[in-house]
Amino acid sequence: MSIPQSGGGLIESFDQLALLLEKGNKPKSDWRIGTEHEKFGYCKDTLAPLPYEGGRSVLSILQGLRDQFNWAPVEENGYLIGLTKDGANVSLEPGGALELSGAPLETIHETCDEVNVHLREVKQIADKIGVGFIGLGAAPIWKHEDVSLMPKGRYKLMDAYMGKVGTMGRTMMRRTCTVQVNLDFASEADMVQKFRVALALQPVATALFANSPFL
């Protein structure tokens, strides 16, 4: 979940929602690609998920990235909850999964380089403290109570709400990861076409990368 969060208040009408999307129209020369990459951290010897604090923790990874690779800290109520640098940011999912929200870039090759640099930095920090990272869509063996909720105010609100509706909301918060892409568009028709292509490709991606054998 990217940082910083932004919003313009309540959407109260269809026209207001349509206008918000229409304002996103951009000429092709201004199109950019933004990717989001989430992964689970775990202790190599126990395979347990990382807590927020401690010698082997999410906080240790954030501090290492801040101190060794010059990321600027983002804090909430005294807690280090994210990092920013060059238009990109590193943030925490509710259960402590680490997310890179990439900068707006011009080509898929640039996004590939960005993710690879990020993964190298994370690995360099993680290797020193006995931590590994894995890119799965869902954590198949951890239980709900094994995963700590990160110290962000809105996650407490989300957790309380998810406990009142449905059955899998809290599991989604703590035990799932994703890779996302954000694309610009020139018009409503262009947005519709890209959305339809993405929907057509999604079952293929799901078949290739789903955790179905495990969960």
Side-chain angles (χ1 to χ4, degrees):
M1 296 186 177
S2 306
I3 52 173
Q5 301 299 319
S6 61
L10 295 176
I11 299 293
E12 298 178 339
S13 69
F14 177 86
D15 290 341
Q16 187 181 2
L17 179 59
L19 180 62
L20 182 67
L21 294 173
E22 185 179 350
K23 287 181 178 179
N25 293 348
K26 295 180 181 179
K28 190 171 183 178
S29 57
D30 292 340
W31 286 359
R32 297 293 184 270
I33 302 168
T35 54
E36 301 177 27
H37 184 282
E38 302 170 7
K39 56 272 180 198
F40 294 111
Y42 63 95
C43 300
K44 287 184 177 179
D45 56 348
T46 66
L47 303 183
L50 300 182
Y52 174 73
E53 294 180 293
R56 293 182 298 176
S57 64
V58 174
L59 180 60
S60 297
I61 301 296
L62 293 178
Q63 291 172 333
L65 293 172
R66 178 196 63 191
D67 297 341
Q68 295 187 39
F69 298 103
N70 300 315
W71 287 80
V74 176
E75 296 185 351
E76 180 180 307
N77 296 324
Y79 292 101
L80 180 62
I81 58 156
L83 307 162
T84 64
K85 184 170 70 172
D86 299 332
N89 65 68
V90 175
S91 60
L92 301 178
E93 290 298 291
L98 197 69
E99 175 186 339
L100 171 69
S101 294
L105 300 172
E106 293 189 21
T107 71
I108 192 67
H109 306 291
E110 290 176 336
T111 67
C112 181
D113 291 341
E114 178 186 52
V115 170
N116 285 334
V117 169
H118 167 70
L119 292 177
R120 284 198 298 269
E121 291 180 355
V122 169
K123 188 176 188 302
Q124 186 170 326
I125 304 300
D127 284 349
K128 293 178 180 179
I129 58 174
V131 165
F133 280 87
I134 189 167
L136 287 175
I141 62 173
W142 297 341
K143 297 179 180 178
H144 176 90
E145 55 269 22
D146 295 332
V147 184
S148 304
L149 193 67
M150 296 297 105
K152 298 176 70 170
R154 67 191 183 96
Y155 290 167
K156 293 181 181 179
L157 295 174
M158 289 171 60
D159 194 53
Y161 176 76
M162 292 295 186
K164 299 176 182 178
V165 296
T167 59
M168 298 297 290
R170 285 175 164 173
T171 296
M172 174 276 296
M173 288 176 63
R174 289 168 170 79
R175 294 173 53 201
T176 64
C177 279
T178 184
V179 173
Q180 303 166 42
V181 62
N182 304 288
L183 302 174
D184 285 321
F185 49 87
S187 64
E188 180 180 1
D190 184 43
M191 180 184 69
V192 168
Q193 183 180 27
K194 288 175 177 174
F195 188 60
R196 286 176 172 169
V197 170
L199 289 177
L201 290 173
Q202 188 166 336
V204 178
T206 299
L208 288 171
F209 301 111
N211 282 180
S212 302
F214 310 108
L215 180 69

